[in-house]
Amino acid sequence: MTITKAQQYLTHFRNIGIAAHIDAGKTTTTERILFFTGRNRNIGEVHDGAATMDWMEQERERGITITAAATTAHWTRTGTEEDYTVNIIDTPGHVDFTIEVERSMRVLDGAVAVFDSSQGVEPQSETVWRQADRYGVPRIAFSNKMDKTGASFDLVINDIRERLGAIPAPIQYPMGAENEFKGIIDIVRMEAHTFNDDLGKDVTVGPVPEQYMDKVGEMRQQLIEAAAEVDEALMEKYLEGEEPTREEIVAALRKGTIAKQIFPVLCGSALKNKGVQLLLDAVIDYLPSPLDVEAIKGTDEEGEQQEYPADPEGKLAALAFKIMADPYVGRLTFVRIYSGTLTSGSYVYNASKEKRERVGRLLKMHANSREEVTELKAGELGAVIGLKDAGTGNTLIGDGDDRVLLESIDIPEPVIKL
Ligand code: GDP
């Protein structure tokens, strides 16, 4: 596929969900991500004494909230100068909200599945995984709580293979477990990230310690075999006994992950900072951009299928996926723009309700702030103020365009009060 100049920004977009069943650590992981992405961009002022303040206290002071249906964060890939936009879509973890989980799956391009390492893959985690399967969502897995009693990375890897029937690609290995958990080995880079303190605030990056060489070698073998399955050139190299380069491994894993054939697995503890930074890097490396996933389809009045590739210059196609009542601005309609550009003050056609509607103001929700914008482009998510009739699952298209309904799950939902 050729990427036009107008589509270029999309290569640096990741629209992701954090999927987990209750208690696996979804909230903690999301908070850490928002904290680090915020700090990365220096959001919020640094006041006197901040340097000596514990980072978790800083986080509490900033009062990070994750109540938005979609939160926009920014991340600079470690070791590069590349800035990425990471939209985090809230995926409810409770089984009772299965329908809501499924609806959110529709608007994300990739997900991080969080598991509790002391429990392995629990029945409820399996439910979430199957939903992601159903919606064809590429995933990376995060084996969380490595510091907890009973934590076992090998158990999670085995369960992914045995219980979920998926091919795990272990890209990390923990150094120690339970209260001996003291760092993470990056198997792709073959380097060890050792925590020098309890919170993993101070980290030393160095060679893999001798004692882990055998185990890491075994995991690396699994990893390369998984990558070789989806990349012929890499398979040939592997069969000839040649060592693939880091770039080749990453490229093959990315391809396999997007094709939903393999699932990179990371480990760590959401309570330790480095774990989350490495997780963010993996989101960038392995999860798809809006250009990497299949274009959303819609059905027109003749029953013909229409495709909407992610292109800000294409025809407008957006999906309203959550309605919230906000005490300050009233009704907020969260939308994902698949194609075209939604402009504040313009008119759109709600194809589901067969009504013309006026778009008021547009907002991008950040962890601690709301940013008013004049447009939301293809691949972006945000909230619209002023849509009176749009409901969850409704299709919004250009005013005057032929009626098309995007594939979605149309389930009525009451307005949730904040
Ligand atoms: P959620 O229900 O999936 O959103 O889970 P939470 O993020 O609320 O976490 C559930 C509980 O597990 C909380 O008490 C967290 O403090 C704890 N927790 C989360 N991550 C970790 C971790 O890495 N290690 C340990 N020991 N506890 C954790």
Side-chain angles (χ1 to χ4, degrees):
M1 186 180 74
T2 42
I3 298 169
T4 66
K5 215 173 154 207
Q7 286 173 308
Q8 205 67 47
Y9 69 97
L10 286 165
T11 60
H12 283 55
F13 259 66
R14 299 289 180 273
N15 292 328
I16 64 156
I18 318 273
H21 90 72
I22 206 139
D23 227 35
K26 190 188 81 170
T27 311
T28 316
T29 307
T30 311
E31 279 176 359
R32 293 296 176 275
I33 288 179
L34 293 178
F35 173 75
F36 278 104
T37 52
R39 195 174 69 166
N40 200 230
R41 266 290 180 99
N42 291 325
I43 288 176
E45 72 263 31
V46 177
H47 39 82
D48 286 344
T52 55
M53 222 195 269
D54 178 70
W55 68 273
M56 281 178 74
E57 262 175 55
Q58 280 187 41
E59 179 185 15
R60 232 172 278 132
E61 282 228 333
R62 285 187 186 151
I64 281 175
T65 51
I66 49 165
T67 50
T71 308
T72 302
H74 298 277
W75 182 247
T76 307
R77 172 69 176 84
T78 311
T80 73
E81 309 249 293
E82 305 277 309
D83 284 325
Y84 287 83
T85 297
V86 181
N87 285 312
I88 301 171
I89 293 118
D90 186 39
T91 52
H94 199 280
V95 275
D96 287 356
F97 301 147
T98 299
I99 291 157
E100 270 203 57
V101 177
E102 296 199 0
R103 194 184 291 130
S104 60
M105 294 281 176
R106 198 64 212 86
V107 295
L108 46 84
D109 299 321
V112 178
V114 181
F115 298 111
D116 178 337
S117 308
S118 68
Q119 306 296 320
V121 174
E122 298 163 89
Q124 286 181 53
S125 322
E126 201 174 326
T127 309
V128 178
W129 187 272
R130 299 286 170 230
Q131 280 164 342
D133 277 343
R134 201 131 62 91
Y135 286 88
V137 178
R139 263 150 288 165
I140 58 178
F142 180 53
S143 181
N144 187 33
K145 302 198 187 183
M146 276 312 307
D147 61 319
K148 205 178 144 188
T149 308
S152 163
F153 184 62
D154 292 17
L155 169 74
V156 173
I157 293 284
N158 268 336
D159 275 2
I160 290 177
R161 197 190 307 279
E162 305 297 326
R163 297 189 62 155
L164 302 175
I167 302 175
I171 60 171
Q172 296 181 346
Y173 196 74
M175 284 193 278
E178 306 181 321
N179 52 16
E180 293 292 307
F181 174 57
K182 54 181 185 297
I184 293 160
I185 294 168
D186 177 334
I187 302 180
V188 179
R189 281 199 161 81
M190 287 301 274
E191 60 188 25
H193 296 248
T194 310
F195 304 149
N196 298 324
D197 53 51
D198 264 4
L199 285 176
K201 208 165 31 164
D202 181 17
V203 176
T204 308
V205 180
V208 177
E210 196 52 45
Q211 76 206 85
Y212 291 105
M213 273 308 199
D214 282 353
K215 189 71 206 183
V216 166
E218 192 190 301
M219 287 281 167
R220 191 174 161 86
Q221 183 93 355
Q222 272 195 45
L223 172 75
I224 294 175
E225 277 170 18
E229 284 296 325
V230 293
D231 191 305
E232 262 178 47
L234 200 130
M235 177 64 99
E236 268 175 36
K237 263 197 158 181
Y238 177 67
L239 292 177
E240 280 163 20
E242 238 185 283
E243 190 66 15
T245 65
R246 191 190 85 81
E247 287 72 26
E248 286 169 338
I249 298 176
V250 172
L253 286 178
R254 178 173 177 79
K255 201 166 101 182
T257 309
I258 293 172
K260 281 103 50 189
Q261 286 170 346
I262 52 177
F263 301 90
V265 191
L266 297 90
C267 60
S269 157
L271 298 178
K272 313 246 179 191
N273 77 9
K274 197 70 186 179
V276 179
Q277 293 179 57
L278 294 173
L279 180 64
L280 277 161
D281 287 343
V283 163
I284 304 303
D285 286 349
Y286 305 114
L287 291 180
S289 85
L291 295 170
D292 294 318
V293 295
E294 251 181 63
I296 194 163
K297 293 183 189 68
T299 312
D300 67 18
E301 291 199 284
E302 273 83 55
E304 299 286 322
Q305 281 219 327
Q306 304 286 337
E307 269 204 3
Y308 291 93
D311 183 354
E313 293 176 341
K315 273 192 173 186
L316 178 70
L319 189 74
F321 65 94
K322 179 109 186 169
I323 315 291
M324 280 183 155
D326 182 88
Y328 302 104
V329 295
R331 196 178 161 94
L332 276 180
T333 308
F334 281 85
V335 291
R336 164 149 187 180
I337 318 297
Y338 289 96
S339 162
T341 300
L342 184 69
T343 321
S344 60
S346 67
Y347 278 88
V348 290
Y349 186 63
N350 181 337
S352 309
K353 296 267 168 75
E354 299 188 47
K355 267 191 177 150
R356 200 171 170 244
E357 292 204 66
R358 186 169 185 278
V359 175
R361 288 149 63 201
L362 298 174
L363 299 173
K364 273 190 201 168
M365 314 299 267
H366 300 288
N368 305 309
S369 61
R370 298 168 166 202
E371 178 193 358
E372 186 155 354
V373 293
T374 53
E375 57 178 33
L376 288 172
K377 292 187 292 190
E380 293 195 302
L381 292 103
V384 187
I385 304 171
L387 290 179
K388 290 198 186 68
D389 296 304
T392 306
N394 284 183
T395 299
L396 304 176
I397 55 173
D399 188 25
D401 286 352
D402 290 340
R403 186 167 177 239
V404 169
L405 289 176
L406 293 177
E407 41 184 31
S408 97
I409 342 151
D410 246 328
I411 293 139
E413 178 197 35
V415 170
I416 294 169
K417 285 241 156 33
L418 282 182

